Amino acid sequence: MRRTKSRFFTKILSVLVISISSLCFISCGDLLNILVPVLFGQISDFTATPGDSYVSLSWSNGYYSGYLYLETKETNTDNIISANCGWMEPDAQGFLPTGCYVDGLYNGTSYTFTLKLYEEENESSNVISYATTRATPSEDAGGGSGGSGGGGSGSEKTWNVPSEGYFLELPGNTSSVTITGVNGKMITYANVNTGTSGIIKSSAVRRYVSGSNIRAADTGIRGVDSAAVQDAGENESVIKHFVAPSSVNVKPNPARSGASGDTWNKSKPQIGQTRSIYVDTNSDLSSFQQERMTLYAIGYKPGTDDEIACLVWAKASDVGTGSNRKVTLDAIQDIAFKFVQHYQFEENVFGSTYDKLLTNLGATPMTNAPTNDWVNIVLYDIGRDGTAGTCGVVGYFWAKDYYKTGYTNSSSDPRSVTNEGKYFYVDVPFCNYNSTNNTYTAGSSTVSGTVMSTLFHEYQHMIDFNTKTITHSKDTSSCTWYNEMLSMLCEDIMGDQLGLDEVDRVATGRIKNFNAYYYYSGAAQYLESNSWVSYGTAYAFGAWLVRNYGGVPLIKEMSTNNAVGKDSIVNAVKTVSGVDRSWNDLMKEYIQACGFRTAFAAGHGLETFNVVPSSKYYYSIINDAGSEITIYAQLDNTAFLTSRDVSNALEGTLKGINLWSSDYRNKSTYGPVILSPNSSVDVQPTGFVFRNVGQATQDSVTLRFTTSSNSNEKLYIFVQDYKASSTQDTTAEVTQ
């Protein structure tokens, strides 16, 4: 019998075959026989850590699916020890173990361990790779010179759960922990990387060995094939994230006569006026050309009918009722109304936008810009991809538009396609998007919740450009995760204001992705590839943080203080809540909230997502004594269209999150996925991986771990009531 190779291996191999097929001077089959072991089946980092009567082994074996066999001998003899390990098969996803414990050894005796990777579960089959190491167990051993992490005295620890609590941080030099008071309880642990850079390789993470007092772990584990995250793509959503290209190219538009034909008059704006605006023309948003856009709506500041807040532009051919690739006049009106109703609340929380254009000599007032300091919302088919194409971007803000024409002489510099002002870009088909069934409805009279949530998400980015980059002169290039976290928290607190359906709420999609794929990205990490995973991990951390440390006032402080990233968060927590928490303190509490089920946490006073601040955050959008205000928008040049009266007080609200409810279930399990102890998964910077030990069958359980001298590597153990991974926690989510 021969196992199928993992999907990752198969995909990479197919690429290799194509790449080398034209270069085969020896037979391609022979070349692959050389490449496969080297690239995918080479055992490496085979290390042994001695303990008291046992040795802990760890290794890396690439992505090859075969069969491992461990031979244990007394060194310099032919005496083969009959011990645990032996043959080791791949799991259901084709992954082989990367660690093993050999128990029942004699202290003071040297042992030689030979690990072989076979094609088949037969010693007469082809050996893909092998490695050898030695170790001598002893009573006081623990991470000696042969250890993968080295370091430490290999100390033993005891932990009585009823008296000492349900959570334990295990010191790096601890080789075993005896836990008492756990009969019937579920035991899990988390490998944690507190570093901000550098992963902890799967071959180096600590693993446990259990005795007879543990029932087989119930994990309901999905595959951890590194290709799976590529295939899943934001829970198979059509929505993708905007990534600004580093360079652009400009294409002429022969269908129009040039800017000289524009009718825009900023001293007397009128519906129907036109202006040439640079928009993207390809799916990767790197090619631009000017298009003549028509002004279809003017939104006015609340309570006024002459102070412009926003202009809504669209290409004439994109406006109509007969196609789901067109936007209606009613939907354009809806965008104008909703923006002017809510933008002042967002500014009150996050700060103001920059009111100047950047020039070679510094800056010039935005009143010198073609559209003054008004916000421009440009509707068009982003990426020219039609209703459901390859681009998938709902909308974006790009700081290139804050630069004056002529700032750069390079035609490939994104600032060469500046529109000189405050600009957002919104995809026309997504105006008609129905998130519930992933369809587009022709003739929609209101704009989709997806678009409005995205618009205010992007407005935070425009504000952040002012507060952090301009005002505080901060380099935000390494803090994309933090900026995106703030934008998602904006969506979070404005969900009620905007009347969003649950499917359009930021928590719904982000927490689903977090639960399924959190181990691919740390909380403070942004992946250029698979960025949607980093959105999920950044939002999950931010969502827990604001629910436990101050709500909207905390968001306001993070957004406006003189720091970015982790420093901004730590400083804001101290300012708003009055407690002094380091980044690692916050991360430890957060991981506990991710590890303990909601009902168990509530019953034992443990960390949880299912909590909200005691008070709501209100903001009056005008300084009137009246209880109602009127919002105006203009759709023609003869009359103002008036929306319904709205309360002058807007709220920033938060709802608790039950990670283990059906709202956030992703695939086959509830809550953050728990992997098997032998799953080959790296631990990302500021990330963690939950692993399941199992359910205790007696009062006392002893777990053994390899020791570590890596100060960034932590190990947390959780004990709680047993629940199968397929069981939902029906605890109600609390609300303000």
Side-chain angles (χ1 to χ4, degrees):
M1 171 177 142
R2 185 168 177 169
R3 291 290 180 108
T4 303
K5 299 174 179 65
S6 72
R7 284 194 299 151
F8 180 83
F9 173 78
T10 303
K11 289 186 176 183
I12 298 297
L13 183 56
S14 65
V15 174
L16 280 172
V17 172
I18 294 171
S19 300
I20 66 177
S21 60
S22 62
L23 302 177
C24 289
F25 298 104
I26 59 175
S27 80
C28 290
D30 289 342
L31 184 55
L32 287 178
N33 286 336
I34 296 170
L35 285 173
V36 167
V38 172
L39 295 178
F40 302 105
Q42 188 70 39
I43 295 173
S44 60
D45 301 322
F46 185 36
T47 55
T49 303
D52 184 5
S53 302
Y54 72 90
V55 171
S56 165
L57 301 169
S58 65
W59 61 86
S60 176
N61 42 248
Y63 294 96
Y64 191 87
S65 288
Y67 294 83
L68 287 169
Y69 179 75
L70 179 70
E71 179 185 81
T72 302
K73 284 185 176 182
E74 292 182 7
T75 302
N76 297 324
T77 74
D78 294 326
N79 185 17
I80 298 178
I81 305 300
S82 178
N84 50 322
C85 297
W87 282 104
M88 291 171 277
E89 297 184 351
D91 62 18
Q93 290 76 39
F95 283 90
L96 290 164
T98 57
C100 174
Y101 282 80
V102 181
D103 281 330
L105 303 179
Y106 291 103
N107 290 333
T109 299
S110 174
Y111 294 91
T112 298
F113 305 92
T114 302
L115 183 67
K116 296 181 180 181
L117 177 61
Y118 288 91
E119 269 194 357
E120 299 178 9
E121 195 172 5
N122 187 324
E123 289 188 71
S124 63
S125 71
N126 185 37
V127 176
I128 303 301
S129 178
Y130 73 94
T132 299
T133 189
R134 294 180 180 180
T136 303
S138 65
E139 186 174 350
D140 59 352
S145 59
S148 62
S153 61
S155 63
E156 298 180 352
K157 183 174 179 60
T158 59
W159 172 28
N160 182 262
V161 170
S163 62
E164 297 181 65
Y166 300 92
F167 173 82
L168 175 69
E169 178 180 350
L170 202 65
N173 65 348
T174 304
S175 59
S176 70
V177 56
T178 298
I179 314 173
T180 57
V182 293
N183 189 22
K185 297 291 186 181
M186 181 174 70
I187 303 174
T188 57
Y189 70 98
N191 294 113
V192 181
N193 185 351
T194 62
T196 57
S197 63
I199 64 173
I200 296 176
K201 297 294 293 182
S202 60
S203 59
V205 297
R206 286 171 283 185
R207 304 176 186 280
Y208 77 93
V209 60
S210 61
S212 59
N213 298 344
I214 292 288
R215 184 175 294 133
D218 165 47
T219 56
I221 297 171
R222 289 184 292 280
V224 292
D225 179 353
S226 59
V229 69
Q230 302 271 1
D231 298 341
E234 197 170 1
N235 203 25
E236 301 186 5
S237 170
V238 298
I239 298 173
K240 299 178 183 178
H241 299 107
F242 170 69
V243 178
S246 58
S247 64
V248 299
N249 63 82
V250 183
K251 293 185 176 181
N253 187 348
R256 52 178 303 276
S257 58
S260 60
D262 291 345
T263 61
W264 169 245
N265 182 354
K266 77 172 186 178
S267 63
K268 190 179 180 180
Q270 291 188 351
I271 302 301
Q273 291 178 348
T274 62
R275 180 167 185 260
S276 295
I277 295 176
Y278 279 110
V279 292
D280 56 74
T281 64
N282 63 344
S283 61
D284 62 4
L285 312 183
S286 63
S287 180
F288 282 78
Q289 70 181 22
Q290 285 192 323
E291 294 278 10
R292 180 159 291 152
M293 298 291 177
T294 301
L295 181 62
Y296 280 97
I298 303 174
Y300 295 88
K301 294 181 180 180
T304 75
D305 60 6
D306 59 358
E307 295 183 45
I308 295 176
C310 73
L311 307 171
V312 185
W313 305 84
K315 190 176 178 180
S317 59
D318 287 336
V319 179
T321 60
S323 169
N324 55 19
R325 298 173 68 170
K326 294 180 181 290
V327 61
T328 66
L329 287 172
D330 287 341
I332 292 174
Q333 174 189 352
D334 194 41
I335 291 173
F337 281 148
K338 286 176 178 174
F339 180 79
V340 297
Q341 180 179 349
H342 300 285
Y343 82 99
Q344 289 178 319
F345 171 85
E346 183 169 355
E347 289 182 343
N348 179 262
V349 175
F350 292 90
S352 60
T353 57
Y354 190 44
D355 60 359
K356 295 180 180 179
L357 279 178
L358 297 170
T359 71
N360 288 316
L361 299 177
T364 185
M366 193 66 78
T367 52
N368 293 327
T371 53
N372 288 319
D373 64 345
W374 308 322
V375 170
N376 295 270
I377 303 171
V378 181
L379 311 179
Y380 71 103
D381 181 12
I382 293 178
R384 294 292 197 273
D385 61 354
T387 302
T390 57
C391 178
V393 174
V394 178
Y396 63 88
F397 156 76
W398 195 352
K400 71 176 180 62
D401 292 314
Y402 262 102
Y403 291 84
K404 185 74 174 171
T405 298
Y407 184 90
T408 177
N409 293 322
S410 171
S411 61
S412 63
D413 190 319
R415 291 169 293 190
S416 67
V417 290
T418 176
N419 286 312
E420 298 184 298
K422 302 177 181 180
Y423 278 81
F424 294 105
Y425 305 92
V426 174
D427 189 63
V428 165
F430 271 114
C431 291
N432 305 311
Y433 183 60
N434 184 323
S435 302
T436 301
N437 51 24
N438 190 24
T439 60
Y440 301 80
T441 306
S444 298
S445 60
T446 58
V447 70
S448 70
T450 300
V451 161
M452 289 314 303
S453 192
T454 298
L455 185 59
F456 288 104
H457 173 116
E458 298 301 327
Y459 197 46
Q460 191 285 135
H461 289 320
M462 182 182 284
I463 292 170
D464 187 84
F465 176 71
N466 180 36
T467 56
K468 300 299 185 180
T469 303
I470 301 296
T471 303
H472 294 309
S473 301
K474 296 298 179 182
D475 179 5
T476 62
S477 60
S478 62
C479 287
T480 301
W481 67 272
Y482 165 78
N483 198 342
E484 295 299 343
M485 181 192 76
L486 292 178
S487 281
M488 288 183 284
L489 292 178
C490 174
E491 294 182 83
D492 207 351
I493 63 176
M494 295 182 70
D496 283 348
Q497 286 184 41
L498 296 172
L500 299 179
D501 294 334
E502 284 301 317
V503 69
D504 288 318
R505 300 288 180 113
V506 64
T508 302
R510 301 304 182 191
I511 294 297
K512 281 184 178 180
N513 289 338
F514 169 79
N515 275 343
Y517 302 108
Y518 68 89
Y519 48 85
Y520 281 104
S521 178
Q525 183 184 28
Y526 183 79
L527 303 175
E528 293 294 339
S529 175
N530 297 313
S531 61
W532 60 271
V533 183
S534 295
Y535 277 71
T537 54
Y539 170 71
F541 174 73
W544 168 81
L545 182 73
V546 300
R547 283 160 174 77
N548 285 271
Y549 280 100
V552 179
L554 180 68
I555 298 174
K556 185 172 185 176
E557 181 63 25
M558 288 190 295
S559 300
T560 57
N561 64 15
N562 185 18
V564 295
K566 296 190 298 182
D567 290 341
S568 173
I569 292 169
V570 169
N571 295 345
V573 166
K574 185 174 183 179
T575 299
V576 173
S577 68
V579 298
D580 197 353
R581 294 283 192 274
S582 69
W583 170 259
N584 285 340
D585 290 337
L586 294 172
M587 282 298 298
K588 184 190 296 186
E589 293 173 7
Y590 163 63
I591 295 171
Q592 290 179 58
C594 296
F596 286 116
R597 280 179 169 261
T598 303
F600 187 81
H604 296 85
L606 300 169
E607 298 293 336
T608 179
F609 280 70
N610 196 29
V611 63
V612 291
S614 58
S615 60
K616 296 182 180 179
Y617 183 88
Y618 294 92
Y619 172 67
S620 180
I621 58 178
I622 59 168
N623 295 321
D624 281 2
S627 60
E628 300 287 330
I629 61 169
T630 302
I631 303 293
Y632 292 97
Q634 188 179 7
L635 285 183
D636 58 50
N637 293 317
T638 60
F640 291 99
L641 298 180
T642 306
S643 77
R644 59 194 176 282
D645 287 339
V646 296
S647 170
N648 68 351
L650 297 175
E651 299 177 5
T653 58
L654 292 167
K655 183 177 75 169
I657 296 174
N658 179 1
L659 293 181
W660 288 265
S661 75
S662 60
D663 290 339
Y664 312 112
R665 186 181 188 182
N666 199 320
K667 299 186 179 179
S668 60
T669 61
Y670 293 94
V673 64
I674 302 175
L675 304 182
S676 69
N678 290 329
S679 295
S680 180
V681 177
D682 298 334
V683 188
Q684 300 298 318
T686 66
F688 54 94
V689 179
F690 284 120
R691 302 182 188 275
N692 208 338
V693 174
Q695 185 182 13
T697 59
Q698 295 185 22
D699 185 70
S700 179
V701 169
T702 297
L703 307 180
R704 293 176 180 167
F705 297 87
T706 57
T707 61
S708 175
S709 59
N710 185 344
S711 61
N712 291 332
E713 183 182 1
K714 306 295 181 184
L715 194 142
Y716 301 155
I717 304 177
F718 301 76
V719 174
Q720 58 189 308
D721 292 343
Y722 172 77
K723 291 285 184 181
S725 60
S726 58
T727 304
Q728 178 184 181
D729 185 334
T730 57
T731 305
E733 293 182 339
V734 298
T735 57
Q736 287 184 318

